[in-house]
Amino acid sequence: MDVMFMITCGRYIRSILYLLLLISVQFGPHAVEGVWPLPQAFTSSPERYPVNSQDFYFVYGRQSAAQQGCSVLDTAFKRYFSLIFPDHNSGSPADRLSWTIYLVPFCVPDNLSISAGKASLNAETVWGAVRGLETFSQLVYQDDFGSYFVNKTEIDDFPRFQFRGILLDTSRHFLPVQAILKTLDAMAYSKFNVFHWHIVDDPSFPYQSSTFPDLSSKGAFHPMTHIYTQSDVRRVISYARLWGIRVLPEFDSPGHTTSWGKGQPGLLTPCYKGGTPSGTFGPVNPALPSTYRFMARLFKEVSSVFPDSYVHLGGDEVDFHCCIVNITSALNKTSIVWQDVFDYHERRTSLSVVEVWRAGCYLCEVRRVVKAGLRVILASPWYLDQPGPTHNWARYYTVWPLAFKGSEEQKKLVIGGEVCMWGEYVDATNLTPRLWPRASAVAERLWSDEKQTSSVDKAFPRLQDFRCKLLRRGIQAEPLYVGHCKHEYQGI
């Protein structure tokens, strides 16, 4: 099979993937349950075409706006060759990848079409092309004799919500960089696109600041082994970018800052008992000018280290001061805050994005926020850190983010949601199985059409099949029920 992949990185020019299937048509039973998350429109037939790894190669179209050297796509071609053909070992796939580029002088709908002799992927952006490669990789399958096939398929697709995130807490338990990178892999397979890095909190301050090095040297669990150096952070950001994943840092303040005070004397508010200092401390002290100078310098560094246009300021479970929002605005960053800031802050006009996290009637809170004209990220129903049986994935699947009374314009202010994996009981030993495949249930809710994905029973076989794909890709995803995978988890 000859494969030609034609891509554009132009803003308004769509990309096209041509898979020239110069082969005879064969017929056989469907061998994949479908794609996860479910595309907006998906049609497949029993007509199938053999795919030979020896003849498979990606080629840029000659007239595409992107050229060889587009690092995102160059890397994606190599990565997805290995994912499509995991048992291929005769030479490096890079030896067979050849790239040619051309522009597509018109706009066409985003779709993936696989038919006799040709398959094409149309994506508006380079990131859409990466998502399309993931879709294609899930459509290729092996029969019992090890031969690869892909069925005739038509797909039209786009994400329902623009913000599809996963929060990892690296303060309550330190997560090695490799565990974070492994999570980024799994996120990309489920088409998540935001890594919310809750990097510091009360227990520890593992971020190694170049401006205030004492924050980690005195606030981390260990100043040498349990820190994220500037190089570590750059590595995570760079790795995430190649998967089309943004890295959203959170420096939760002015509460949840106990670890900050160890390396920055005078920062926290001293607590008193009977008029005498008790030796304990509360949140960041808003009464001292030095506090604002410190915060301004720290967030200036954070804004330069983390290039994303958003920064999460936290603000939960404590009185929040608008000065921090002003600091980030001055740095041309859009701030995200937990809902507490909205609930207890009178000057709501300074806010931009509110993350709803409290239990109870969370859709009531969503409605209040959008009525105030602010954007919303929903997290309340998707706290996955608490232990529970894997079969409760349906609990996270049957969440309807827009099921509140409001206008269409108000509902457009719900920009997405995220899975929260807090670290009280989670470290590198149980992070992956606790996340997956339950987080994938959330991924489909945030990506797919709600009406087409309302049935747990219909989703179950696809999720089982996708869980098996995760296992073969080295992701230690928990089982959903009794059963087996053709390729069981082989360990690290």
Side-chain angles (χ1 to χ4, degrees):
M1 181 178 96
D2 293 332
V3 179
M4 183 162 65
F5 193 88
M6 291 179 278
I7 281 292
T8 71
C9 288
R11 183 175 179 185
Y12 293 109
I13 301 173
R14 313 273 179 139
S15 55
I16 295 184
L17 163 70
Y18 280 112
L19 306 173
L20 302 180
L21 307 176
L22 306 177
I23 45 179
S24 61
V25 175
Q26 299 184 12
F27 291 87
H30 291 278
V32 292
E33 292 291 344
V35 175
W36 196 280
L38 186 71
Q40 302 291 332
F42 179 92
T43 306
S44 184
S45 83
E47 186 176 326
R48 68 177 186 174
Y49 319 110
V51 183
N52 186 343
S53 64
Q54 299 292 339
D55 301 322
F56 186 99
Y57 58 97
F58 294 105
V59 182
Y60 283 103
R62 287 173 296 178
Q63 297 179 12
S64 173
Q67 301 294 329
Q68 181 176 352
C70 177
S71 59
V72 173
L73 294 177
D74 289 355
T75 303
F77 293 158
K78 297 174 185 177
R79 177 188 288 134
Y80 275 102
F81 184 95
S82 298
L83 291 174
I84 293 168
F85 306 109
D87 53 4
H88 181 87
N89 55 16
S90 59
S92 166
D95 296 339
R96 287 179 307 285
L97 298 184
S98 56
W99 295 303
T100 329
I101 293 243
Y102 70 70
L103 282 173
V104 181
F106 52 84
C107 290
V108 292
D110 294 354
N111 65 32
L112 173 64
S113 175
I114 302 172
S115 59
K118 184 181 75 171
S120 60
L121 169 67
N122 310 292
E124 185 174 5
T125 66
V126 64
W127 315 116
V130 173
R131 306 291 177 238
L133 280 171
E134 175 58 39
T135 299
F136 180 75
S137 74
Q138 293 186 31
L139 293 171
V140 178
Y141 59 92
Q142 276 182 295
D143 65 11
D144 291 337
F145 304 99
S147 297
Y148 290 94
F149 296 90
V150 63
N151 285 60
K152 182 177 181 179
T153 305
E154 292 286 340
I155 291 176
D156 289 304
D157 205 9
F158 54 86
R160 183 185 183 200
F161 293 104
Q162 69 183 61
F163 188 106
R164 308 178 303 280
I166 286 186
L167 176 151
L168 294 186
D169 171 9
T170 58
S171 173
R172 290 171 176 84
H173 278 98
F174 180 82
L175 294 175
V177 169
Q178 194 58 42
I180 295 175
L181 301 184
K182 195 75 167 179
T183 301
L184 292 170
D185 290 342
M187 287 174 62
Y189 304 151
S190 289
K191 299 181 182 174
F192 284 102
N193 68 341
V194 180
F195 167 39
H196 178 172
W197 195 350
H198 189 90
I199 192 167
V200 299
D201 207 298
D202 281 330
S204 72
F205 197 106
Y207 170 74
Q208 189 177 61
S209 167
S210 59
T211 309
F212 301 101
D214 281 351
L215 289 173
S216 61
S217 66
K218 297 181 180 179
F221 286 135
H222 190 283
M224 300 295 291
T225 60
H226 286 58
I227 59 169
Y228 300 107
T229 65
Q230 299 281 306
S231 177
D232 291 332
V233 172
R234 286 194 298 270
R235 182 184 177 194
V236 169
I237 293 171
S238 176
Y239 192 90
R241 172 183 169 273
L242 293 175
W243 274 126
I245 297 173
R246 298 160 45 196
V247 178
L248 169 67
E250 180 182 356
F251 286 76
D252 196 357
S253 59
H256 293 277
T257 50
T258 301
S259 64
W260 302 37
K262 297 175 182 178
Q264 188 66 19
L267 177 65
L268 305 183
T269 305
C271 297
Y272 290 81
K273 187 174 182 180
T276 304
S278 64
T280 60
F281 295 88
V284 168
N285 192 339
L288 300 178
S290 59
T291 295
Y292 303 102
R293 291 193 294 269
F294 164 80
M295 297 298 276
R297 293 181 64 193
L298 176 63
F299 277 100
K300 182 178 181 180
E301 176 187 325
V302 168
S303 68
S304 65
V305 172
F306 293 89
D308 198 80
S309 60
Y310 286 77
V311 62
H312 204 301
L313 300 179
D316 58 314
E317 302 176 320
V318 73
D319 183 33
F320 185 87
H321 301 281
C322 62
C323 65
I324 301 177
V325 173
N326 295 339
I327 289 171
T328 55
S329 297
L331 296 169
N332 294 319
K333 297 284 187 179
T334 300
S335 60
I336 301 174
V337 294
W338 296 107
Q339 72 176 78
D340 310 53
V341 180
F342 174 83
D343 291 341
Y344 307 117
H345 189 54
E346 293 183 0
R347 294 178 59 187
R348 293 174 176 173
T349 54
S350 63
L351 306 180
S352 297
V353 184
V354 176
E355 183 161 5
V356 174
W357 70 276
R358 290 189 180 273
C361 185
Y362 54 82
L363 289 181
C364 299
E365 180 74 6
V366 170
R367 186 185 182 198
R368 285 193 291 270
V369 176
V370 298
K371 284 184 69 175
L374 302 176
R375 287 169 287 172
V376 171
I377 298 166
L378 180 61
S380 301
W382 295 315
Y383 272 47
L384 268 59
D385 52 293
Q386 296 298 318
T390 308
H391 63 258
N392 72 357
W393 68 273
R395 164 186 168 188
Y396 307 111
Y397 190 74
T398 52
V399 171
W400 321 116
L402 302 185
F404 60 89
K405 292 183 179 179
S407 67
E408 286 303 310
E409 289 304 311
Q410 288 172 341
K411 292 188 177 185
K412 288 178 182 178
L413 292 173
V414 180
I415 62 173
E418 72 174 9
V419 169
C420 292
M421 184 57 68
W422 297 102
E424 285 89 347
Y425 307 102
V426 177
D427 65 7
T429 66
N430 63 348
L431 170 65
T432 300
R434 190 159 292 184
L435 262 178
W436 312 103
R438 293 187 299 164
S440 299
V442 183
E444 181 151 291
R445 181 55 54 236
L446 295 174
W447 180 280
S448 305
D449 178 78
E450 191 173 281
K451 293 181 180 179
Q452 296 184 57
T453 56
S454 60
S455 170
V456 170
D457 292 338
K458 290 181 180 178
F460 180 71
R462 282 192 301 108
L463 186 55
Q464 272 194 317
D465 184 66
F466 182 66
R467 184 246 173 187
C468 290
K469 290 184 174 74
L470 292 179
L471 293 186
R472 195 172 192 192
R473 294 180 178 189
I475 304 300
Q476 197 172 358
E478 286 185 331
L480 293 163
Y481 192 58
V482 176
H484 79 288
C485 292
K486 182 178 179 180
H487 302 280
E488 298 288 1
Y489 182 71
Q490 299 297 315
I492 298 174

